[in-house]
């Protein structure tokens, strides 16, 4: 949820709560004012009736409301001795409405001459259910208006105020440290955004400097380590060609050469992993994955034939992926080579390409692999001297870089799947 919508949600909830409280208070205050106004009107009508009775005694015998808003009943002093003005709500049948409607009634008493009279005066009042309904609709429209006002405020005023923040977010989203690009911060007069831009600029510069230093270190390490290793191997190979060496010395020399070559492969694999982790493979293009797999299988055909292993490819889907070509080749080379190396002699490796997935299945004498450690660095299924234990780690790093799901399952056969549709963990 966006920040503006998040704040709008809380504004709407607070407004609703505040309006509910306001509505209850306003309702009772308004009701109190209505009663005060009605009671004042009834008192005024009482005075008018009493004054009129003094001038026109004939109204003293008006005992029903059929032709007016008051009634007068003769009484005795003993009955009205303790009578005070009293106001109450009641119902009266209204001819125009043909129903009973609420009225406000004033009961009082007065003296005229030597006689005493009870006086009842009525006036129509607003029905409470109508009042509540009107008030509810009024508050509802007020709430809707306020919410719409808040939305307009957020999307017009606040959006303009937060523009530097969203501009920064968008530039950070598109920032690519591999390209060593800089960010042009939008000018703003808001102190907090100025501070944010300053701190982000410092962090980015520090990250870029660290990336450059790490990249330089990897390049230097690659050169400084590979060169002496290559020289040492060449000199030892020349030494091995000399005839005066005894078989024992030749065996020792061969062991040293084998370990140096393994160190060379290990160094290359670790440097490759470092480059992948540091995202130093910038160049990308739209690749035809089945075409790359077919080429890799062709390159390994002699090796597979030497082990009397058949590689079967069935392709029912055209998979296109925008990625670095070298990394794509390394990914499937490691998986296919791993299948050939660990497959049983005289077996078949099946590669299937369908439903945007590439599956590589092989039979092996080893049982189910530990999927918790399978993609860890230096994990080895056996003690093969030529293995660095980094092939699957490199494949997993490449898959993660491009959001591919590299998974492993076992059901009589070892099955590795590269899923181009989603990103998930190995199972």
């Amino acid at each position: 949820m966006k920040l503006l919508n998040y704040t709008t949600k809380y504004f709407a909830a607070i407004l609703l709560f505040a309006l509910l409280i306001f509505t209850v208070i306003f309702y009772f205050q308004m009701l109190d004012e209505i009663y005060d106004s009605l009671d004042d009107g009834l008192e005024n009508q009482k005075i008018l009736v009493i004054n009129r009775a003094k001038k026109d005694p004939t109204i003293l015998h008006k005992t029903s409301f059929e032709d007016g808003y008051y009634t007068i009943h003769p009484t005795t002093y003993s009955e009205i001795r303790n009578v005070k003005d009293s106001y109450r709500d009641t119902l009266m049948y209204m001819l125009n409405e043909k129903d009973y409607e609420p009225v406000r009634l004033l009961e009082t008493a007065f003296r005229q001459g030597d006689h005493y009279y009870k006086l009842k005066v009525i006036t129509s009042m607003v029905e409470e259910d109508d009042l509540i309904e009107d008030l509810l609709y009024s508050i509802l429209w007020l709430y809707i208006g306020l919410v719409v006002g808040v939305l307009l405020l957020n999307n017009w005023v606040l959006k303009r105020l937060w523009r530097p923040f969203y501009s920064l977010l968008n530039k950070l989203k598109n920032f690519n440290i591999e390209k060593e690009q800089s960010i042009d911060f939008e000018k703003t007069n808001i102190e907090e955004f100025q501070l944010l831009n300053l701190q982000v600029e410092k962090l980015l510069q520090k990250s870029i400097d660290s990336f450059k230093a790490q990249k330089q270190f990897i390049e230097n390490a690659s050169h400084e380590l590979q060169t002496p290793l290559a020289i040492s191997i060449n000199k030892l190979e020349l030494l091995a060609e000399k005839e005066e060496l005894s078989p024992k010395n030749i065996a020792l020399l061969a062991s040293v050469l084998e370990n140096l070559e393994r160190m060379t492969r290990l160094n290359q694999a670790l440097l490759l992993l470092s480059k992948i982790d540091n995202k130093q493979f910038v160049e990308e293009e739209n690749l035809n994955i089945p075409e790359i797999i077919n080429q890799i299988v062709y390159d390994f055909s002699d090796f597979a034939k030497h082990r009397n292993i058949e590689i079967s490819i069935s392709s029912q889907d055209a998979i296109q992926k925008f990625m670095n070509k070298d990394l794509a080749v390394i990914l499937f080379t490691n998986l296919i080579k791993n299948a050939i190396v660990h497959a049983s002699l005289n077996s078949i490796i099946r590669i299937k390409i369908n439903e945007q997935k590439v599956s590589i299945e092989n039979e092996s004498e080893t049982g189910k692999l530990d999927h918790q450690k399978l993609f860890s660095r230096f994990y080895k299924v056996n003690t093969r001297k030529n293995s660095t234990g980094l092939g699957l780690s490199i494949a997993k790093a490449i898959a993660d870089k491009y959001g591919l799901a590299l998974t492993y399952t076992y059901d009589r056969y070892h099955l590795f799947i590269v899923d181009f549709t989603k990103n998930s963990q190995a199972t």
Side-chain angles (χ1 to χ4, degrees):
M1 182 181 291
K2 289 187 176 181
L3 179 62
L4 291 178
N5 294 333
Y6 195 79
T7 55
T8 300
K9 179 180 71 173
Y10 281 99
F11 277 140
I14 292 171
L15 281 174
L16 180 60
F17 180 73
L19 283 176
L20 286 175
I21 296 176
F22 167 78
T23 301
V24 174
I25 296 173
F26 179 73
Y27 171 75
F28 286 107
Q29 286 185 338
M30 186 170 63
L31 208 58
D32 185 62
E33 288 295 327
I34 291 174
Y35 280 126
D36 285 344
S37 178
L38 290 174
D39 293 347
D40 289 342
L42 287 172
E43 185 174 2
N44 182 65
Q45 290 176 10
K46 177 194 78 171
I47 296 171
L48 292 175
V49 170
I50 293 173
N51 291 337
R52 183 181 175 187
K54 291 177 181 179
K55 297 177 181 180
D56 184 8
T58 58
I59 68 172
L60 295 174
H61 302 286
K62 186 176 179 305
T63 58
S64 69
F65 291 106
E66 292 180 358
D67 57 349
Y69 60 89
Y70 64 92
T71 62
I72 301 175
H73 293 271
T75 185
T76 61
Y77 175 75
S78 60
E79 291 181 0
I80 65 169
R81 181 172 51 186
N82 298 319
V83 172
K84 296 181 180 179
D85 289 358
S86 65
Y87 301 88
R88 62 186 175 90
D89 296 335
T90 187
L91 295 175
M92 179 172 287
Y93 187 82
M94 298 292 180
L95 294 175
N96 61 326
E97 296 288 343
K98 295 182 179 181
D99 196 7
Y100 285 92
E101 297 293 335
V103 294
R104 187 71 169 169
L105 173 66
L106 166 61
E107 288 184 299
T108 186
F110 67 94
R111 175 184 175 183
Q112 183 163 320
D114 296 329
H115 301 282
Y116 296 91
Y117 300 92
K118 281 186 178 180
L119 173 63
K120 292 182 180 180
V121 184
I122 62 168
T123 185
S124 297
M125 61 181 295
V126 180
E127 295 185 42
E128 286 194 39
D129 54 348
D130 292 338
L131 179 63
I132 293 173
E133 183 179 353
D134 292 341
L135 181 60
L136 178 63
Y137 281 116
S138 298
I139 295 299
L140 180 61
W141 283 112
L142 176 61
Y143 176 72
I144 294 173
L146 287 174
V147 170
V148 171
V150 169
L151 287 173
L152 292 176
L153 179 67
N154 278 349
N155 288 279
W156 185 55
V157 179
L158 293 184
K159 200 169 186 179
R160 290 172 62 88
L161 294 176
W162 284 85
R163 182 184 297 167
F165 175 75
Y166 287 109
S167 174
L168 177 61
L169 282 184
N170 186 56
K171 290 176 180 178
L172 287 175
K173 183 175 65 176
N174 298 320
F175 178 74
N176 191 340
I177 196 171
E178 298 91 347
K179 297 180 180 179
E180 300 179 9
Q181 62 189 33
S182 59
I183 288 183
D184 296 327
F185 296 96
E186 186 172 326
K187 293 183 179 180
T188 175
N189 296 323
I190 301 175
E191 184 178 346
E192 287 79 4
F193 289 155
Q194 291 176 351
L195 181 61
L196 177 63
N197 290 343
L198 179 62
Q199 296 302 318
V200 169
E201 185 178 15
K202 288 181 180 179
L203 288 173
L204 288 179
Q205 190 57 49
K206 186 176 181 180
S207 298
I208 292 172
D209 293 341
S210 298
F211 175 76
K212 288 180 178 179
Q214 196 170 32
K215 182 179 179 181
Q216 187 65 41
F217 169 77
I218 292 173
E219 292 174 352
N220 292 340
S222 176
H223 180 268
E224 297 299 330
L225 288 175
Q226 290 298 113
T227 300
L229 284 173
I231 293 173
S232 298
I233 291 173
N234 288 334
K235 289 187 175 181
L236 287 174
E237 287 176 346
L238 291 174
L239 182 61
E241 293 176 358
K242 293 186 178 180
E243 298 179 357
E244 59 268 20
L245 292 177
S246 64
K248 183 178 179 180
N249 289 334
I250 291 177
L252 290 173
L253 195 60
S255 176
V256 173
L257 278 170
E258 184 177 347
N259 281 284
L260 284 175
E261 289 174 352
R262 181 173 177 274
M263 186 180 297
T264 300
R265 292 193 300 273
L266 183 63
N267 179 58
Q268 291 173 341
L270 288 173
L271 290 173
L272 177 60
L273 272 172
S274 297
K275 288 183 177 181
I276 295 173
D277 291 340
N278 289 298
K279 301 178 181 180
Q280 292 182 222
F281 292 88
V282 180
E283 296 80 10
E284 296 178 347
E285 57 184 292
N286 195 29
L287 301 178
N288 187 322
I289 301 301
E291 185 178 300
I292 290 176
I293 293 174
N294 281 311
Q295 182 60 46
I296 294 172
V297 170
Y298 176 78
D299 293 339
F300 277 108
S301 58
D302 291 338
F303 180 37
K305 186 176 181 181
H306 174 71
R307 302 195 73 234
N308 200 22
I309 293 174
E310 180 184 348
I311 302 178
S312 170
I313 302 179
S314 61
S315 177
Q316 301 176 357
D317 203 354
I319 301 178
Q320 300 284 331
K321 182 65 177 178
F322 198 79
M323 59 188 300
N324 182 271
K325 186 175 182 178
D326 293 334
L327 292 184
V329 171
I330 293 171
L331 168 63
F332 290 104
T333 295
N334 285 1
L335 293 176
I336 294 172
K337 182 180 178 182
N338 180 76
I340 296 173
V341 169
H342 295 95
S344 302
L345 297 176
N346 306 314
S347 63
I348 299 177
I349 295 175
R350 294 179 176 85
I351 301 176
K352 298 179 182 178
I353 306 172
N354 63 339
E355 297 181 355
Q356 295 296 301
K357 297 178 183 178
V358 177
S359 61
I360 302 172
E361 181 184 77
N362 69 280
E363 182 183 355
S364 176
E365 296 176 358
T366 60
K368 182 179 180 180
L369 305 178
D370 187 350
H371 66 272
Q372 298 292 340
K373 301 179 181 178
L374 182 61
F375 297 109
S376 302
R377 297 183 182 184
F378 304 110
Y379 173 75
K380 297 182 181 181
V381 180
N382 49 42
T383 56
R384 294 176 63 92
K385 293 182 179 180
N386 293 331
S387 175
T388 62
L390 293 172
L392 291 178
S393 299
I394 293 173
K396 188 68 168 68
I398 296 172
D400 290 344
K401 173 179 171 62
Y402 290 104
L404 310 178
L406 174 58
T407 59
Y408 163 77
T409 57
Y410 177 80
D411 184 12
R412 293 178 54 205
Y413 296 93
H414 297 281
L415 178 64
F416 287 88
I417 299 176
V418 180
D419 191 342
F420 284 79
T421 62
K422 62 181 179 180
N423 188 8
S424 63
Q425 300 295 326
T427 58

